[in-house]
Each structure stands twice: as C-alpha cells, then as structure tokens.
Amino acid sequence: MAPERETGTRERHPAGATAAGRPRGARLDQPRTPRHRMLPEWDPEAFGRLSERIARFLGTGRFIVWMTIVIIAWVVWNIAAPDHLRFDSYPFIFLTLMLSLQASYAAPLILLAQNRQDDRDRVNLEQDRKQNERSIADTEYLTREVAALRIGLGEVATRDWIRSELQDLVKELEERRRHDGHVVFPAERAERSPGRDADDR
C-alpha cells in the first residue's frame, strides 16, 4: 500500500520571482535604495587630477621662488613692523606650523600623483608589449611569405633564363651549320635525303 501523505502539518512558502513572502530589499529586479552616508563623496579622478596639478606646481622653480618671497616677507614683517601689528613674534612658531602643514599635505599629494603616473606607465608598457608582439608576428608572417615566394620563383622560367636557353640553342644550330654547310633541322634533312633513310632501313 502507498504511504499516506502528511496533510496540514507543513506550511507552504511561495517560490519564484513574484514571491510575496520575501522582503522588499532582497529582490533582484529592483534597484537598491541609496544609502545616506555621513562622509562627503568625491570623484577620485577629479581628486587625482587636482593632486597631479599641485604636485607639478610643487616641483617647479616658481613655487620655490614664491615660497622664499613669502617666508622673507613674513620674517621681515614680524621683525620690523610695530609691536601691535606683528602676528608672529621672533621664534616664528606660526610660520613653522604653516610650513609643517604644507609639507604634510605635499607629501601625500606627490605620492598620489606618482601612483597615478605609475599606473599610466604600466598601461603604456602593456600596450607597447602587445604592439611589439603583433609587430613580431606580422614580421614573421611576411618573412614566411617572402620565403615561399622565393621558392616559387625559383621554379618559374624567367625571361632571362629563356633568353639564355634560346641563345644557347642558336649557338648550337650555328655550330652545326658550320660543320655540315647546310641547315640541319631534322624535318628538312628528312625531306632532302629520302634515299639515305631508305638505305638506313
């Protein structure tokens, strides 16, 4: 006898893409709701381009000249100006702080610019390597084709070869004419001397 089926003990859950029992966030046919972030968002490419511009400016003589002018003006003002107009007295603590702040920001920007340049160099080297591989493959293919053409042309009768063969044949015929004193073509010889052919038989 067939076993009896269990009835009413198990709950059935709807299955498929239109299942109503699944939570709304787990559906794959709908985009996720955007999350609210506390930190500000920025474009990495735009930030990288800005860092490269700053790094290029920091590596020029113009930046060194301007920084030297600002430091000299800062020191002269805080020494020669009246006491109530000075904003940084002799140890120049504020100037030291500003220079340290500038250096602490300059180093990461320069490193970021170098990393971007390294990535570009890596991509360029990969493209150059692929281009060199294609050029080598094309050169090998053309070399094989030229070798095949040379082999094929070695078996073809060229105009110079035919001319040399005809010249040799003409020389041979002239030599025979000199020895016999008449034309030595086989057809003419057979027509002129039928008796000789009969005697030979």
Side-chain angles (χ1 to χ4, degrees):
M1 295 179 66
E4 296 181 359
R5 296 179 181 176
E6 297 179 0
T7 57
T9 56
R10 294 181 182 176
E11 295 180 0
R12 292 189 177 181
H13 296 283
T18 59
R22 292 183 179 176
R24 186 179 180 88
R27 295 190 60 171
L28 299 177
D29 59 339
Q30 294 180 356
R32 291 183 176 180
T33 57
R35 297 180 180 178
H36 297 286
R37 295 184 179 179
M38 300 299 293
L39 298 176
E41 296 182 2
W42 63 87
D43 185 11
E45 288 297 321
F47 188 75
R49 289 192 295 269
L50 178 63
S51 66
E52 286 180 347
R53 290 177 184 173
I54 295 173
R56 287 195 193 98
F57 178 69
L58 292 177
T60 58
R62 182 183 298 176
F63 170 74
I64 297 174
V65 169
W66 278 108
M67 189 174 68
T68 305
I69 291 172
V70 168
I71 292 174
I72 291 173
W74 186 300
V75 171
V76 169
W77 178 265
N78 288 299
I79 289 176
D83 292 337
H84 65 279
L85 294 178
R86 296 178 187 176
F87 55 89
D88 192 13
S89 56
Y90 166 67
F92 306 118
I93 302 298
F94 189 54
L95 177 62
T96 306
L97 177 63
M98 295 299 293
L99 292 177
S100 300
L101 186 64
Q102 181 265 331
S104 64
Y105 272 97
L109 290 174
I110 292 172
L111 289 175
L112 180 59
Q114 287 180 351
N115 290 336
R116 285 173 59 86
Q117 185 63 39
D118 290 341
D119 294 338
R120 280 197 296 269
D121 292 341
R122 192 179 302 110
V123 171
N124 291 334
L125 288 174
E126 185 67 21
Q127 291 177 353
D128 292 341
R129 187 183 63 81
K130 291 180 179 178
Q131 183 66 32
N132 290 336
E133 289 178 356
R134 286 194 294 268
S135 299
I136 292 172
D138 293 341
T139 304
E140 291 178 353
Y141 173 75
L142 291 175
T143 304
R144 289 193 297 268
E145 290 295 319
V146 169
L149 288 174
R150 285 182 178 177
I151 292 172
L153 287 175
E155 300 175 356
V156 175
T158 60
R159 183 174 59 184
D160 295 335
W161 182 80
I162 293 174
R163 183 179 297 166
S164 64
E165 290 294 323
L166 290 175
Q167 289 176 355
D168 293 340
L169 184 59
V170 168
K171 288 179 182 178
E172 184 180 352
L173 291 175
E174 286 179 355
E175 289 178 0
R176 288 185 183 180
R177 183 182 296 173
R178 288 174 187 171
H179 291 301
D180 298 340
H182 60 280
V183 181
V184 292
F185 289 110
E188 293 184 1
R189 179 180 292 178
E191 291 176 0
R192 290 184 180 182
S193 56
R196 183 180 296 177
D197 292 340
D199 295 337
D200 293 339
R201 291 178 185 173

